[in-house]
Amino acid sequence: MSLVTVKDAATVWKYLNGVINVYKPAGLTVQQVRHTIIGNLCRDLNELRVRPPLQRVAIASGAESRFVVRAVEDLSDNVLVVGPRYQTEDLRVRTCANHGRLTSGVLVLGINKGLSTVFRIQQNRPLRVYRITGFLGKATESHFGDSRVIAKATVDHIGSDKIARLLASMQASHQKKMFELCGVDMQSQAAYDLAVKGTIRPADNSQPMIYGIRLAEFRRPFFTIEIHAINETEPYLGQLIHEIGLGLKSVAHCVAIRCIRHGHFELDTALLRHDWNLQCVLAGMASSRQLLQEHPEMLHQTSTELVGIGQQNEGEDGGRRRRRSSRFAQDKGEIYEDDGNTKK
């Protein structure tokens, strides 16, 4: 089947519904990325063929006391009067993760009817993978490189083996904490049965959880770690680098954070800044739709339990509450469903 070039803006608008994966540069806020994409889409839509101004009926007096009825252009519908046909208020865009200004990497966005899809992905809380670079020997006020240095320490005694041992200890403590939130003993059969079901995810999105942490690169004084986490924030990751520095009998601060994967959305398929246009966004929606069809668990999680914070009872009542919280997290996606997204 041959491809047909569509130059009608109204036809393109009907297909502008879905999820895209964009690359967020460091130094830009999520809102700035959102506004840039909306502005580019409106610009490209207005460059296509839009509908002509509406006609109005004009009655004028003619010869021999007769009236002349004719259709004339309605100036109140002219683009020179009311502005472009597609404006920024017409597009609805929602982000799946609220990355900080210093964080770069994968950012999943929902456009128009894709808002409900992004909400379901957010409620399922898929793992996000980060590459975080720290600088040993200096501590700052905000734990990031753009603030004032408050402490200095030596780093000659730090090697890759020492960092790896510390990270393994931190990962073990976080894994133990996950099972404690479930109210089970790490050495029990209940803990094994819970672990084989999949990733244990907290139902409360205010509790950061680290599922994996390892050393990816070490070039003194710089070191890069890879983190698999849920409910993390940029200040939390900066605090984590600070704690790693203290655990190494030194100090450290964060110099770079990059999200390389969000669920099954990877860095290789993210749209770069020069690709934030209408054609690339529509292509990105098609690839994201295919990705969600291949991995339906991102929208409807069935193999993993959402564990509520503070649930210390592993009996029948505790299991019933977890199942209810899991169904509630999935059903809440219906809140953002809407029927019809018509455009003039």
Side-chain angles (χ1 to χ4, degrees):
M1 184 176 62
S2 60
L3 297 178
V4 179
T5 302
V6 179
K7 297 183 179 181
D8 183 60
T11 303
V12 175
W13 174 265
K14 295 179 181 178
Y15 294 95
L16 197 59
N17 302 284
V19 178
I20 59 174
N21 175 20
V22 302
Y23 182 87
K24 175 192 172 299
L28 293 180
T29 64
V30 172
Q31 290 300 323
Q32 288 175 328
V33 174
R34 178 179 174 272
H35 292 160
T36 301
I37 293 177
I38 291 177
N40 292 349
L41 293 178
C42 292
R43 177 202 62 198
D44 294 344
L45 283 170
N46 290 315
E47 290 178 355
L48 298 176
R49 183 173 63 248
V50 298
R51 67 169 179 83
L54 298 176
Q55 301 291 314
R56 66 179 180 88
V57 177
I59 303 176
S61 59
E64 299 179 359
S65 300
R66 294 183 178 181
F67 292 97
V68 178
V69 180
R70 66 179 185 274
V72 297
E73 179 182 341
D74 188 358
L75 295 181
S76 64
D77 192 50
N78 193 293
V79 294
L80 299 178
V81 179
V82 299
R85 288 280 178 242
Y86 297 89
Q87 300 183 9
T88 56
E89 295 81 6
D90 299 327
L91 281 167
R92 298 176 300 149
V93 177
R94 176 190 175 96
T95 61
C96 191
N98 190 19
H99 293 322
R101 182 179 60 87
L102 302 177
T103 303
S104 63
V106 174
L107 179 64
V108 181
L109 299 174
I111 300 178
N112 291 337
K113 291 183 179 180
L115 267 65
S116 60
T117 305
V118 165
F119 182 78
R120 288 194 182 99
I121 296 174
Q122 187 177 17
Q123 290 301 310
N124 277 311
R125 296 184 181 88
L127 282 175
R128 285 190 285 266
V129 183
Y130 291 88
R131 287 286 181 94
I132 307 175
T133 301
F135 185 89
L136 293 167
K138 293 182 180 180
T140 61
E141 288 183 338
S142 64
H143 310 315
F144 290 95
D146 58 350
S147 60
R148 185 171 63 92
V149 176
I150 59 174
K152 294 183 179 181
T154 59
V155 298
D156 296 336
H157 63 285
I158 301 176
S160 59
D161 294 340
K162 191 173 183 179
I163 298 178
R165 287 194 299 269
L166 176 63
L167 297 181
S169 175
M170 296 178 67
Q171 177 177 334
S173 64
H174 275 268
Q175 290 177 350
K176 181 179 179 181
K177 181 180 179 181
M178 285 185 287
F179 286 97
E180 289 177 352
L181 293 175
C182 303
V184 297
D185 185 10
M186 282 281 292
Q187 307 298 327
S188 64
Q189 180 66 29
Y192 173 79
D193 295 337
L194 190 61
V196 297
K197 293 180 180 179
T199 305
I200 307 171
R201 298 165 300 141
D204 187 0
N205 57 9
S206 64
Q207 181 70 26
M209 302 296 294
I210 294 179
Y211 294 86
I213 179 171
R214 69 176 185 88
L215 181 64
E217 185 180 2
F218 178 67
R219 292 182 300 168
R220 191 185 297 115
F222 294 96
F223 68 98
T224 302
I225 61 176
E226 183 175 297
I227 292 181
H228 299 245
I230 287 178
N231 296 335
E232 77 295 331
T233 60
E234 185 175 275
Y236 174 79
L237 297 178
Q239 176 68 25
L240 181 66
I241 295 296
H242 175 70
E243 292 177 357
I244 291 175
L246 296 179
L248 296 172
K249 309 299 182 183
S250 181
V251 291
H253 68 274
C254 181
V255 295
I257 301 176
R258 173 182 287 187
C259 178
I260 62 175
R261 185 161 60 86
H262 186 165
H264 293 281
F265 293 96
E266 297 183 353
L267 198 64
D268 297 339
T269 58
L271 298 177
L272 299 179
R273 191 169 185 175
H274 59 78
D275 294 328
W276 295 353
N277 52 61
L278 182 60
Q279 182 177 359
C280 294
V281 165
L282 290 173
M285 285 182 178
S287 61
S288 297
R289 190 178 302 112
Q290 182 179 0
L291 180 66
L292 293 175
Q293 291 175 355
E294 296 175 354
H295 303 280
E297 69 276 3
M298 292 190 65
L299 299 177
H300 304 283
Q301 188 65 247
T302 58
S303 61
T304 305
E305 295 187 3
L306 289 174
V307 179
I309 303 300
Q311 289 182 213
Q312 301 299 326
N313 186 1
E314 192 59 26
E316 180 180 357
D317 184 61
R320 183 162 55 249
R321 287 199 302 271
R322 284 196 302 275
R323 290 192 295 272
R324 185 166 63 249
S325 64
S326 178
R327 290 195 299 269
F328 176 71
Q330 296 174 8
D331 294 340
K332 282 182 69 177
E334 302 295 332
I335 295 176
Y336 287 89
E337 286 287 350
D338 56 50
D339 20 290
N341 192 16
T342 56
K343 184 69 177 81
K344 51 187 178 295

